[in-house]
Protein backbone atom coordinates (compact mmCIF):
# COMPACT_ATOMS: atom_id res chain seq x y z
CA UNK A 1 0.00 0.00 0.00
CA UNK A 2 1.49 3.30 -1.06
CA UNK A 3 -0.82 5.81 0.68
CA UNK A 4 -2.75 6.39 -2.57
CA UNK A 5 -6.52 5.81 -2.74
CA UNK A 6 -8.03 3.02 -4.85
CA UNK A 7 -11.41 3.54 -6.53
CA UNK A 8 -14.55 1.91 -5.19
CA UNK A 9 -15.22 -1.64 -6.35
CA UNK A 10 -17.27 -4.68 -5.42
CA UNK A 11 -16.92 -8.39 -6.12
CA UNK A 12 -19.31 -11.31 -6.55
CA UNK A 13 -17.46 -13.24 -3.85
CA UNK A 14 -16.12 -12.28 -0.39
CA UNK A 15 -12.61 -10.82 -0.19
CA UNK A 16 -10.21 -11.25 2.74
CA UNK A 17 -7.81 -8.38 3.47
CA UNK A 18 -4.88 -9.24 5.76
CA UNK A 19 -2.63 -6.37 6.86
CA UNK A 20 0.86 -7.79 7.50
CA UNK A 21 2.27 -4.43 8.58
CA UNK A 22 1.08 -0.84 8.49
CA UNK A 23 -2.56 0.22 8.35
CA UNK A 24 -5.35 -0.10 5.78
CA UNK A 25 -7.93 2.68 5.61
CA UNK A 26 -11.12 1.56 3.87
CA UNK A 27 -14.53 2.87 2.98
CA UNK A 28 -16.91 -0.11 3.17
CA UNK A 29 -20.57 0.35 2.30
CA UNK A 30 -20.18 4.08 2.89
CA UNK A 31 -18.52 3.73 6.33
CA UNK A 32 -14.86 4.27 7.27
CA UNK A 33 -13.00 1.17 8.47
CA UNK A 34 -9.41 0.99 9.78
CA UNK A 35 -7.57 -2.33 9.66
CA UNK A 36 -4.36 -2.53 11.71
CA UNK A 37 -1.24 -4.63 11.36
CA UNK A 38 -2.02 -8.29 12.04
CA UNK A 39 -5.77 -7.84 11.50
CA UNK A 40 -7.95 -9.61 8.94
CA UNK A 41 -11.01 -7.92 7.45
CA UNK A 42 -13.57 -9.76 5.31
CA UNK A 43 -15.47 -7.66 2.75
CA UNK A 44 -18.79 -9.44 2.11
CA UNK A 45 -19.70 -10.36 -1.46
CA UNK A 46 -21.37 -7.51 -3.34
CA UNK A 47 -20.27 -4.83 -0.85
CA UNK A 48 -18.81 -1.62 -2.29
CA UNK A 49 -15.39 -0.81 -0.85
CA UNK A 50 -12.48 1.52 -1.58
CA UNK A 51 -9.02 2.15 -0.17
CA UNK A 52 -8.82 5.61 1.41
CA UNK A 53 -5.73 7.85 1.34
CA UNK A 54 -3.18 7.17 4.07
CA UNK A 55 -3.08 3.39 3.80
CA UNK A 56 0.48 2.09 4.06
CA UNK A 57 2.34 -1.17 4.60
CA UNK A 58 1.91 -4.69 3.26
CA UNK A 59 -1.49 -6.12 2.38
CA UNK A 60 -2.47 -9.66 1.33
CA UNK A 61 -5.73 -9.91 -0.64
CA UNK A 62 -7.48 -13.29 -0.95
CA UNK A 63 -10.55 -13.83 -3.13
CA UNK A 64 -12.51 -16.35 -1.07
CA UNK A 65 -14.56 -17.54 -4.03
CA UNK A 66 -17.57 -19.77 -3.74
CA UNK A 67 -17.65 -22.50 -1.11
CA UNK A 68 -16.88 -25.94 -2.45
CA UNK A 69 -19.85 -28.16 -3.21
CA UNK A 70 -20.41 -30.87 -0.61
CA UNK A 71 -18.98 -34.26 -1.48
CA UNK A 72 -21.40 -36.78 -2.92
CA UNK A 73 -22.36 -39.55 -0.49
CA UNK A 74 -20.44 -42.78 -0.89
CA UNK A 75 -22.18 -45.59 -2.73
CA UNK A 76 -23.38 -48.40 -0.46
CA UNK A 77 -21.08 -51.40 -0.26
CA UNK A 78 -22.29 -54.41 -2.21
Amino acid sequence: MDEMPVEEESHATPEALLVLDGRLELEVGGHPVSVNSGDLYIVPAGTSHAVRPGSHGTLVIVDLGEPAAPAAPAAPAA
Side-chain angles (χ1 to χ4, degrees):
M1 297 178 285
D2 60 4
E3 300 195 22
M4 298 298 296
V6 176
E7 290 187 29
E8 185 175 86
E9 60 184 11
S10 65
H11 309 280
T13 59
E15 186 175 63
L17 306 172
L18 174 62
V19 178
L20 298 180
D21 63 75
R23 185 179 179 115
L24 174 61
E25 299 293 342
L26 293 171
E27 182 91 13
V28 180
H31 303 282
V33 174
S34 296
V35 187
N36 295 310
S37 179
D39 289 345
L40 174 69
Y41 186 85
I42 307 289
V43 179
T47 303
S48 297
H49 59 285
V51 177
R52 298 183 309 161
S55 298
H56 63 281
T58 306
L59 174 66
V60 175
I61 302 172
V62 179
D63 179 2
L64 298 178
E66 293 297 317

